[in-house]
Amino acid sequence: MYCVGIDIGGMSIKAGVVDKRGNIVKKNTVTTDVAAGPKKIIDDIGKLILSIVDMNDRDFVGIGIGCPGAVNSAAGTVDCAYNLNWRNVALAEELSRIVNRPIKVGNDANVAALGESMYGAGRMYTDTVVLTLGTGVGGGVVLGGKLYDGNEGKGGELGHMVIQVDGEQCTCGRRGCLEAYCSATALMRDTRKAMTANPDSAMWKYSPTLEEVSGLTAFECCKQGDAAAKSVVDRYIKYLGEGMLNFANIFRPQAIILGGGVCGQGDYLIDKLKDYCIKREYGFAGMPRFDILIAQLGNDAGVVGAAGLIYELI
Ligand SMILES: [Zn+2]
């Protein structure tokens, strides 16, 4: 038995034949022809699938799709995806005219979280929360081995939990969201602020201009003992830790899995978060603790997670 997982991005569309253990056994990619509109893109997805599977093969049981934007997973439609310039696209229905198999559609962040949970760092667990710390903060919740994505599949917007009322401005319009403190964008903003306030900081040696600041600047200089860098890292850990503790208290997952560029810090990041969370975790002695892990699948999480949309039904 096998499924096809599709990961639709603004630049390219990836497809993979995924076996039941989450291995990608065959794959292909096509450029996303955004300018040509949804019909052309859906035709391209159809061709992409036909390039890697034999439609006469009865072992091919379904197609899962991760799509950016507001997706209605119950209806298999995409309400709105800005970077594809899509509005009200009947994705599953249109694609089923080309490939006659069950089709499930999910939001790309939720789908990648399902992939990481089923086949990546979370494969030993049934209840996980996945947080991706990138330009924004995305993620997803998997409970009892199944993706929890709420009404119409529009839930799981973990990055927009407010952790500081009236705090930093978020891209969503509210203030103080987790994303406004824990995205790489927020980390770089806070690094630049600290550098401006501390002209003697070693961060100026690591990144000689504010334009050269990256997600590494504060972390690498903190390791060398720079006080201003340490204050940036401590603040980052505090907000991320508080967010994780909130998720732990709500979902009581076995593990929280972190992905994104900041996770390149590896154990240095994880140890600080464990230290922060262990002192503040709600409950009594003997209550189950949650593990903190780093995502393992990288860019493949979207494709295997999309296939997981079908496998979780079987
Ligand atoms: Zn927000």
Side-chain angles (χ1 to χ4, degrees):
M1 184 199 296
Y2 60 88
C3 296
V4 167
I6 307 283
D7 183 6
I8 305 180
M11 303 296 286
S12 69
I13 299 165
K14 287 178 266 182
V17 175
V18 182
D19 70 17
K20 193 129 200 323
R21 297 173 64 189
N23 300 306
I24 300 175
V25 295
K26 206 170 183 182
K27 58 181 165 183
N28 203 354
T29 305
V30 67
T31 303
T32 314
D33 195 351
V34 174
K39 188 178 182 313
K40 168 71 162 53
I41 293 180
I42 293 169
D43 281 348
D44 286 348
I45 295 172
K47 285 177 194 156
L48 195 60
I49 295 167
L50 297 175
S51 76
I52 53 174
V53 293
D54 173 2
M55 288 304 293
N56 295 318
D57 191 343
R58 288 173 160 220
D59 287 340
F60 171 33
V61 294
I63 300 156
I65 305 173
C67 184
V71 169
N72 185 328
S73 60
T77 57
V78 181
D79 302 337
C80 177
Y82 288 116
N83 56 354
L84 300 174
N85 202 16
W86 281 13
R87 272 192 173 276
N88 301 316
V89 175
L91 176 55
E93 189 187 331
E94 295 294 328
L95 186 61
S96 69
R97 295 181 208 276
I98 308 170
V99 282
N100 180 27
R101 286 295 187 280
I103 298 171
K104 293 289 291 178
V105 182
N107 166 269
D108 58 352
N110 280 332
V111 164
L114 179 66
E116 197 59 52
S117 183
M118 286 178 83
Y119 304 116
R123 65 189 178 279
M124 306 300 286
Y125 307 90
T126 53
D127 303 281
T128 58
V129 171
V130 181
L131 278 177
T132 305
L133 311 164
T135 311
V137 173
V141 178
V142 176
L143 299 176
K146 294 198 186 309
L147 180 64
Y148 174 79
D149 59 3
N151 191 11
E152 294 190 349
K154 294 187 176 72
E157 289 292 345
L158 305 183
H160 299 291
M161 175 180 62
V162 169
I163 51 169
Q164 177 76 62
V165 173
D166 296 331
E168 299 281 355
Q169 182 66 49
C170 183
T171 54
C172 74
R174 290 170 86 200
R175 287 186 169 274
C177 293
L178 187 65
E179 175 166 307
Y181 289 88
C182 299
S183 61
T185 317
L187 175 61
M188 291 193 288
R189 175 202 63 212
D190 289 347
T191 303
R192 290 189 183 107
K193 264 190 206 167
M195 286 169 67
T196 305
N198 297 277
D200 299 332
S201 166
M203 290 190 284
W204 287 106
K205 289 199 188 73
Y206 192 87
S207 304
T209 66
L210 293 178
E211 286 71 38
E212 289 168 274
V213 166
S214 73
L216 292 171
T217 308
F219 273 95
E220 294 307 318
C221 296
C222 178
K223 287 174 193 169
Q224 293 159 21
D226 182 70
K230 183 174 184 299
S231 72
V232 174
V233 170
D234 286 350
R235 176 178 142 104
Y236 186 81
I237 296 293
K238 179 173 97 171
Y239 283 113
L240 182 53
E242 291 298 331
M244 289 167 62
L245 287 164
N246 287 343
F247 295 132
N249 288 340
I250 297 166
F251 299 112
R252 194 54 60 178
Q254 295 148 337
I256 295 180
I257 303 167
L258 303 175
V262 179
C263 293
Q265 294 297 328
D267 286 345
Y268 188 75
L269 174 74
I270 298 297
D271 289 347
K272 283 183 182 295
L273 285 168
K274 279 184 180 164
D275 187 54
Y276 188 90
C277 290
I278 230 158
K279 290 174 186 154
R280 295 168 178 85
E281 201 172 345
Y282 175 81
F284 50 85
M287 199 124 153
R289 293 198 180 282
F290 61 96
D291 291 334
I292 303 172
L293 307 166
I294 286 179
Q296 297 172 349
L297 298 180
N299 291 331
D300 287 341
V303 167
V304 298
L309 289 175
I310 301 292
Y311 283 127
E312 72 169 5
L313 299 174
I314 298 171

